[in-house]
Amino acid sequence: MGPEVITSRANPLCTHFRKLASSRAYREETGEFLCDSPKLLREAELWGGEIHAILYTEGADLYAFNDAGKDGLIRKVRVSESVMEAVSPMKTPQGVVFSCRWSPERLRLPNQMEPGRCLVLDGVQDPGNVGAILRTADAFDCGPVFLLPGCADLYSPKTLRAAMGVQFRRLIYQCTLGELDALLKGAGIPLYATALREDTVDVRDAGLAGCAVVIGSEGRGVSQEVLTLCEKTIKIPMSPRCESLNAAVAAAVVLWEMARDDLGKGQGGDPICPI
């Protein structure tokens, strides 16, 4: 028997994929999200993503999904180029789109956590920034990343693409400020923020090993509600001509300093970031 083939853009599976790409409410209702590109498919396979269905064009590279042992568990459907263009959220599709079910266990906050460095995003709304920050946190082997209300959807196609599959392999939680506060206090993890006030210190002198640092939104920075819970605030020294840094760039500097502080406590050599 040959592969399943879809030729109509109005097919229910195609409609389902388009809704997953465009609607956060629909993603939350169905418990699924949409990924595009062979790269993300490979990441999902490598890190145990629960793949539901794959649409692909003829000649697309499906990596390990050509294995016969997976055929009965994952729906694989070949589509025309025109159907792929209608379904993919990318302007230039790469020949593969697929749906995944998210695991409630991966999103549920733990009852307690081990001391260590972690990152908090407060109202970072741009999915490209959120994805870039997640990718950088992964590069510097940061602990959990917490997204407070108002952040970009963790499972939107743009966030997934910018993070290059980090969602499949790192602990990332969406939570309220109250939940975060209780969790950090229970683990004895101090909360710092990138903001200016009387106690602000240079990021190079802050001692960031074993703490949680908040990165604020692109427009208003860290909210006052979050700042009231912070033990210290930190600043990144820069030219007086510059008012602020992009959220993803600021996070990269902070994550680098956090990693350096941990290494300074005898946990290894210099961190290496391939360009």
Side-chain angles (χ1 to χ4, degrees):
M1 180 183 294
E4 181 182 356
V5 177
I6 288 177
T7 58
S8 171
R9 301 181 182 188
N11 182 278
L13 183 59
C14 295
T15 301
H16 174 59
F17 271 35
R18 284 195 294 270
K19 292 174 72 175
L20 286 178
S22 62
S23 171
R24 181 172 188 168
Y26 187 71
R27 289 192 290 270
E28 293 175 349
E29 174 189 341
T30 59
E32 293 184 40
F33 56 95
L34 189 74
C35 299
D36 57 74
S37 84
K39 163 66 177 175
L40 287 178
L41 181 60
R42 180 167 53 182
E43 291 295 322
E45 158 68 2
L46 182 62
W47 298 99
E50 190 179 346
I51 298 170
H52 177 226
I54 303 171
L55 299 186
Y56 66 97
T57 54
E58 187 171 1
D61 190 349
L62 299 184
Y63 296 106
F65 288 99
N66 291 313
D67 176 67
K70 296 183 180 294
D71 287 350
L73 302 176
I74 300 171
R75 185 179 178 189
K76 293 164 51 178
V77 184
R78 194 176 71 201
V79 298
S80 65
E81 296 285 351
S82 63
V83 170
M84 179 61 68
E85 290 173 0
V87 170
S88 172
M90 298 184 70
K91 290 184 178 180
T92 305
Q94 298 183 35
V96 176
V97 291
F98 63 98
S99 62
C100 273
R101 294 186 179 93
W102 60 49
S103 169
E105 290 73 22
R106 287 186 60 84
L107 295 176
R108 189 179 297 120
L109 282 175
N111 294 324
Q112 59 184 18
M113 60 183 289
E114 295 295 324
R117 53 192 163 99
C118 52
L119 195 69
V120 179
L121 304 187
D122 177 27
V124 181
Q125 298 177 332
D126 183 82
N129 278 340
V130 171
I133 291 169
L134 295 177
R135 187 179 172 193
T136 307
D138 185 44
F140 293 128
D141 202 25
C142 184
V145 179
F146 300 92
L147 275 64
L148 295 176
C151 287
D153 184 6
L154 183 59
Y155 291 105
S156 76
K158 289 183 179 179
T159 309
L160 285 156
R161 193 181 314 132
M164 296 186 68
V166 171
Q167 286 90 334
F168 293 115
R169 60 181 181 267
R170 304 295 295 189
L171 292 176
I172 308 166
Y173 301 108
Q174 299 172 115
C175 63
T176 66
L177 180 58
E179 291 171 331
L180 175 69
D181 184 45
L183 190 62
L184 295 181
K185 286 180 177 176
I189 299 175
L191 184 63
Y192 301 162
T194 51
L196 295 176
R197 63 184 188 189
E198 291 183 1
D199 63 354
T200 300
V201 298
D202 190 305
V203 67
R204 297 167 294 183
D205 303 320
L208 300 183
C211 73
V213 177
V214 185
I215 303 296
S217 72
E218 297 87 353
R220 60 180 175 83
V222 179
S223 66
Q224 189 58 48
E225 294 82 3
V226 174
L227 281 174
T228 58
L229 301 178
C230 294
E231 297 183 17
K232 185 187 296 184
T233 59
I234 58 178
K235 66 178 180 180
I236 299 170
M238 65 183 76
S239 166
R241 296 187 300 273
C242 299
E243 181 179 341
S244 63
L245 289 173
N246 170 274
V249 175
V253 174
V254 168
L255 286 162
W256 168 260
E257 290 295 336
M258 292 171 80
R260 289 200 334 143
D261 283 348
D262 264 355
L263 291 165
K265 298 176 71 173
Q267 296 186 17
D270 289 337
I272 297 174
C273 180
I275 298 175

